[in-house]
Amino acid sequence: KSNHKYLLNDEKIHFYEIEEQLDLENDSKETLKIVQNLNPDILVIDSYAIESKWERYVYTNSNLKLVVIDDLANRKHYCDLLIDQSFLREKIDYIPLMEKDAQIFCFIEYAMLREEFSKARAISLKKRKKFKLKRILINFGGTDPNNVTLSLVKKLSEMPKAKYKFSILVGINYKEKKALNDAVMSLPNFEVVANPKSVSNLLLNTDLVIGAGGTSAWERCCLGIPSFLLKIADNQTFILEKFNEYELAFVPPVSNT
């Protein structure tokens, strides 16, 4: 969460916090109090914990339009618009789950990528025409709660000295930063990159990525960067299966390092 605070503060975006310990009923009530004071037209919901009961309460007690972002298609929703950017996700997956008429937008044309990636796409694709493996990026999200990053770095460090340069991208919430820095201190071909201002610039200078199957997988696809994808969360199962099936990335059968 502090990573989100850092990003929001950096962009000068005002935000409100709700206690984590609240149950869904009280969470919806607290959310409603905040939005009633702000009086917005639209509320965007992006949480696996929230479902139709929460949404229905906020909707029926306000004049808000509700937009839900989901990628699991495993629970009911009460909203005006739903977006799922998952590869090969279909509208029919959500129709039985909708408790009110809603617009449903699925598939990769609705992928939510920052403008920096679309701007860098042409340059990146041109570079890929002359592929030569030199620089490898390791990235398992901003927090990496299972610490796959450090485990992988230790495995790679046991390999014979290679000609490749490894960059390790971590977020401000990554708790094992000291251990990671200690691990790479004696490895001249490894570097740690924390909270870069532009991820697209980092990817432009990357030939291969070893990472997870979240939103960052779409960033790599946009820039045409080959990837090894490892499953680090259950909500990545669907997208990894599809990436592997359509050969958009290499997905090893074993998901732990």
Side-chain angles (χ1 to χ4, degrees):
K1 279 197 169 181
S2 59
N3 191 33
H4 297 156
K5 292 181 185 179
Y6 169 84
L7 293 172
L8 292 169
N9 283 325
D10 195 46
E11 295 294 331
K12 296 181 173 55
I13 298 173
H14 194 65
F15 61 92
Y16 298 83
E17 292 184 89
I18 297 175
E19 291 181 43
E20 290 185 35
Q21 292 77 16
L22 292 179
D23 57 29
L24 278 181
E25 181 179 352
N26 287 308
D27 185 278
S28 64
K29 291 177 180 178
E30 288 300 309
T31 301
L32 187 61
K33 288 179 186 177
I34 293 171
V35 297
Q36 284 176 335
N37 287 331
L38 295 172
N39 196 31
D41 298 312
I42 298 170
L43 178 63
V44 180
I45 302 160
D46 185 5
S47 171
Y48 294 127
I50 291 176
E51 38 70 48
S52 62
K53 186 176 179 180
W54 188 105
E55 295 158 0
R56 183 187 290 268
Y57 176 82
V58 173
Y59 186 90
T60 56
N61 289 282
S62 70
N63 294 317
L64 289 165
K65 296 292 185 182
L66 299 189
V67 176
V68 168
I69 298 171
D70 194 8
D71 57 14
L72 295 181
N74 68 345
R75 63 197 187 282
K76 293 184 176 181
H77 288 293
Y78 194 94
C79 61
D80 298 286
L81 188 150
L82 183 141
I83 303 170
D84 185 335
Q85 63 183 349
S86 300
F87 184 57
L88 291 184
R89 178 69 75 194
E90 297 183 68
K91 182 178 179 179
I92 196 170
D93 296 334
Y94 282 99
I95 290 176
L97 302 174
M98 306 308 294
E99 293 190 348
K100 74 178 293 294
D101 290 337
Q103 291 181 283
I104 303 172
F105 298 108
C106 295
F107 206 36
I108 55 175
E109 53 260 58
Y110 302 104
M112 289 167 276
L113 299 180
R114 296 190 300 279
E115 189 178 11
E116 64 175 289
F117 295 101
S118 58
K119 286 183 175 180
R121 178 174 167 80
I123 298 171
S124 183
L125 294 180
K126 186 176 180 180
K127 288 183 68 173
R128 309 298 154 195
K129 290 180 180 179
K130 296 181 179 179
F131 179 79
K132 189 172 184 181
L133 184 57
K134 291 183 178 180
R135 301 184 66 91
I136 299 172
L137 177 69
I138 299 169
N139 175 223
F140 290 95
T143 57
D144 187 12
N146 297 320
N147 204 15
V148 179
T149 301
L150 185 57
S151 299
L152 180 60
V153 168
K154 288 179 178 179
K155 290 288 185 182
L156 291 172
S157 69
E158 296 170 1
M159 297 172 60
K161 297 298 179 184
K163 55 186 177 181
Y164 310 121
K165 175 74 174 179
F166 292 92
S167 296
I168 308 158
L169 176 60
V170 296
I172 197 171
N173 261 7
Y174 179 61
K175 295 180 180 179
E176 301 296 332
K177 197 174 296 180
K178 184 181 183 304
L180 180 62
N181 284 325
D182 290 343
V184 304
M185 193 175 297
S186 60
L187 302 171
N189 56 327
F190 284 77
E191 66 171 355
V192 177
V193 181
N195 309 308
K197 285 291 183 182
S198 173
V199 175
S200 61
N201 283 340
L202 180 62
L203 289 172
L204 278 175
N205 294 302
T206 296
D207 302 309
L208 174 71
V209 175
I210 304 174
T215 302
S216 57
W218 292 127
E219 297 170 356
R220 300 164 204 151
C221 282
C222 179
L223 300 184
I225 301 172
S227 298
F228 281 80
L229 298 184
L230 306 179
K231 176 184 169 183
I232 62 171
D234 288 339
N235 61 8
Q236 296 175 359
T237 300
F238 180 83
I239 188 172
L240 290 182
E241 288 176 351
K242 297 305 179 184
F243 266 57
N244 192 49
E245 181 182 349
Y246 286 83
E247 299 182 347
L248 299 178
F250 176 75
V251 182
V254 179
S255 59
N256 287 315
T257 54

